[in-house]
Amino acid sequence: QQQVKQSPQSLIVQKGGISIINCAYENTAFDYFPWYQQFPGKGPALLIAIRPDVSEKKEGRFTISFNKSAKQFSLHIMDSQPGDSATYFCAASLMNYGGSQGNLIFGKGTKLSVKP
Amino acid sequence: KAGVTQTPRYLIKTRGQQVTLSCSPISGHRSVSWYQQTPGQGLQFLFEYFSETQRNKGNFPGRFSGRQFSNSRSEMNVSTLELGDSALYLCASMRADMTQETQYFGPGTRLLVL
């Protein structure tokens, strides 16, 4: 019940295209859903995050779509660029679990390659 | 503002040894979480410390332990190392005042167990 399932495992997109990564969760108590971007040799960096009371959040070229009834959320990268080539992780956590959000449950990651 | 720093960046140990990794959080951040990243299992939560107390714990054996000091710096220790402990160990800090939720990750310590 603590799992977060992420797909696809890898994704190749042409420059200027749309990259879409999907995640599904089981625990309906999760209430914080961040996406992290990780480049080789670096730690993950927060890209964008959403709460369940919002169905969509957009920041620049990055959009999270959230479907509470389906227990799914997705990341859309518009106008994908070669610099976006990285591994993307979705995650979920409980706001009130132990009073913190310091225990993120991560998906397995999606390796995105954007071809020029 | 300096980011999360982790030392050492790389470490080679042999089976049966123990290791201590260090993490300095961003100034003003009171929560420090530790994660293990491996190609097979991905990113897995180890534990979180807040105000020198372990607040959350993941599903790892007791060989994995940690602590937090009064200045919020944290250490994690792995005793009796096994080959399967080879991984990137990531530390993340968070202000934890319930107004900001972002965890900021350090670059990690890459541990190789031979």
Side-chain angles (χ1 to χ4, degrees):
Chain A
Q1 214 181 12
Q2 288 288 81
Q3 278 189 318
V4 175
K5 294 182 180 178
Q6 183 172 347
S7 63
Q9 198 172 1
S10 62
L11 183 61
I12 300 174
V13 172
Q14 291 295 318
K15 180 183 175 182
I18 302 174
S19 304
I20 301 175
I21 305 171
N22 300 300
C23 284
Y25 62 98
E26 299 170 353
N27 189 343
T28 55
F30 285 146
D31 57 4
Y32 176 64
F33 302 90
W35 284 89
Y36 279 83
Q37 178 189 55
Q38 186 177 28
F39 292 103
K42 305 284 187 183
L46 180 72
L47 204 55
I48 186 172
I50 199 168
R51 290 288 184 88
D53 54 346
V54 176
S55 61
E56 186 174 283
K57 183 175 181 180
K58 184 176 180 179
E59 288 184 3
R61 297 184 294 109
F62 302 92
T63 300
I64 298 180
S65 296
F66 187 83
N67 186 330
K68 190 173 181 178
S69 60
K71 294 187 287 185
Q72 295 175 346
F73 58 110
S74 60
L75 175 69
H76 294 231
I77 306 174
M78 312 299 288
D79 187 26
S80 298
Q81 299 297 313
D84 296 330
S85 298
T87 301
Y88 293 80
F89 294 93
C90 63
S93 74
L94 302 167
M95 168 71 104
N96 295 314
Y97 181 73
S100 80
Q101 297 159 349
N103 54 331
L104 290 168
I105 309 299
F106 281 91
K108 288 292 179 75
T110 296
K111 188 172 183 180
L112 171 65
S113 295
V114 181
K115 299 299 183 186
Chain B
K1 204 178 214 183
V4 178
T5 57
Q6 293 187 244
T7 55
R9 292 292 312 278
Y10 303 93
L11 209 47
I12 299 175
K13 292 286 187 180
T14 56
R15 277 185 303 172
Q17 287 187 310
Q18 75 163 12
V19 66
T20 299
L21 312 181
S22 180
C23 172
S24 293
I26 292 171
S27 177
H29 286 198
R30 299 186 297 166
S31 162
V32 173
S33 296
W34 289 89
Y35 294 84
Q36 181 195 66
Q37 185 173 24
T38 60
Q41 298 300 317
L43 277 153
Q44 293 185 285
F45 172 74
L46 280 155
F47 30 66
E48 182 205 9
Y49 285 87
F50 177 80
S51 293
E52 302 178 62
T53 301
Q54 188 181 87
R55 189 158 69 166
N56 289 299
K57 188 178 188 306
N59 190 26
F60 277 81
R63 299 185 298 107
F64 293 82
S65 63
R67 59 177 174 168
Q68 187 180 35
F69 301 95
S70 59
N71 61 358
S72 293
R73 191 176 70 83
S74 177
E75 289 181 347
M76 70 162 278
N77 183 277
V78 187
S79 63
T80 318
L81 283 165
E82 300 178 359
L83 296 178
D85 297 333
S86 294
L88 180 67
Y89 289 89
L90 291 158
C91 159
S93 76
M94 182 173 67
R95 199 156 62 194
D97 60 3
M98 300 302 279
T99 62
Q100 193 225 52
E101 305 138 338
T102 303
Q103 284 191 47
Y104 295 88
F105 282 81
T109 294
R110 187 163 294 282
L111 172 65
L112 177 62
V113 182
L114 302 176

